[in-house]
Amino acid sequence: GESVGLHLPTLSVQEGDNSIINCAYSNSASDYFIWYKQESGKGPQFIIDIRSNMDKRQGQRVTVLLNKTVKHLSLQIAATQPGDSAVYFCAGLTGGGNKLTFGTGTQLKVEL
Amino acid sequence: GAVVSQHPSRVICKSGTSVKIECRSLDFQATTMFWYRQFPKQSLMLMATSNEGSKATYEQGVEKDKFLINHASLTLSTLTVTSAHPEDSSFYICSAARQGYEQYFGPGTRLTVT
């Protein structure tokens, strides 16, 4: 089945720097990916999504890159702010179904 | 739009009792609702998928007789943890989906079984 994992459990960045959070997936049939932000004690919050027919998508201060060749996606956060401190999860969807598989999560810590 | 609520946000119960958690889509009708479980510093694990008016589909390893799911309407799903034990203590999160892929997540319910 699908498994979605992350390379690093914790990422520390200075305020104002750019953050890059990585995610690897195993199922080449995965066709839709979402990045979520989860603050402590809260539910996941949608950040940005990307379909498998795209390799890049930009939002406000965030960019998601998808490399299907190596089955890797990344979330880039520009000018990281203290409010960006949270756990970030990638999640994947496969084959037109509606079940999301979540990665293990990366804790982003923003240092002042 | 697309707000999902959960009630209660926190609950403490004694071992052996049952606890009901509600998940509501406040401003849209959800064709499907999902229940997840999350242990500290871990990811979300899907427990079950429910469609309004039909039986829930449980993921492998999730006891359907212990985690009862009722999806009585397009805006309400409930999860009942029966005969709760300390190992059931966790953060339970629901999500609701309209047509299409996007799931909207609730704020979660922290269950502590003593």
Side-chain angles (χ1 to χ4, degrees):
Chain A
E2 168 77 83
S3 71
V4 184
L6 293 171
H7 292 302
L8 294 174
T10 304
L11 175 65
S12 295
V13 298
Q14 293 289 324
E15 181 182 5
D17 286 352
N18 297 333
S19 303
I20 299 176
I21 301 171
N22 296 302
C23 182
Y25 62 96
S26 60
N27 190 339
S28 57
S30 297
D31 51 16
Y32 179 62
F33 301 91
I34 308 172
W35 280 100
Y36 290 96
K37 173 185 180 182
Q38 187 180 28
E39 297 177 73
S40 181
K42 298 183 179 180
Q45 175 187 357
F46 173 92
I47 300 174
I48 192 168
D49 60 357
I50 189 167
R51 300 192 189 282
S52 59
N53 61 353
M54 304 170 69
D55 53 21
K56 181 179 180 178
R57 190 154 189 239
Q58 287 184 293
Q60 188 176 14
R61 278 203 310 121
V62 294
T63 301
V64 54
L65 299 177
L66 175 62
N67 185 330
K68 294 180 287 293
T69 302
V70 295
K71 291 185 281 189
H72 178 273
L73 69 159
S74 66
L75 176 70
Q76 300 178 4
I77 304 173
T80 311
Q81 302 169 0
D84 295 327
S85 294
V87 177
Y88 289 81
F89 293 98
C90 62
L93 204 63
T94 302
N98 59 3
K99 292 199 300 184
L100 288 172
T101 301
F102 279 80
T104 52
T106 292
Q107 173 80 55
L108 176 64
K109 296 183 178 180
V110 181
E111 299 170 348
L112 302 177
Chain B
V3 178
V4 177
S5 70
Q6 284 184 239
H7 178 79
S9 57
R10 291 177 175 269
V11 57
I12 301 172
C13 71
K14 293 185 183 297
S15 186
T17 62
S18 296
V19 175
K20 180 185 284 188
I21 302 170
E22 292 186 349
C23 176
R24 293 182 185 273
S25 55
L26 298 184
D27 51 3
F28 67 99
Q29 292 186 325
T31 53
T32 307
M33 286 184 167
F34 303 83
W35 286 96
Y36 296 83
R37 182 174 180 175
Q38 185 178 34
F39 291 109
K41 298 191 183 300
Q42 294 190 22
S43 187
L44 283 75
M45 296 297 296
L46 180 65
M47 299 175 66
T49 303
S50 74
N51 293 292
E52 184 261 343
S54 61
K55 289 184 179 181
T57 301
Y58 290 81
E59 294 300 297
Q60 191 173 7
V62 178
E63 300 175 60
K64 62 180 182 181
D65 294 329
K66 180 169 183 63
F67 298 100
L68 302 179
I69 292 172
N70 186 309
H71 194 159
S73 76
L74 285 171
T75 60
L76 173 64
S77 177
T78 60
L79 168 68
T80 301
V81 183
T82 63
S83 187
H85 292 285
E87 57 265 32
D88 298 323
S89 297
S90 189
F91 194 50
Y92 291 87
I93 306 171
C94 73
S95 70
R98 294 183 284 205
Q99 299 292 340
Y101 296 144
E102 189 166 353
Q103 294 182 27
Y104 302 93
F105 285 84
T109 296
R110 174 76 59 194
L111 170 64
T112 303
V113 184
T114 60

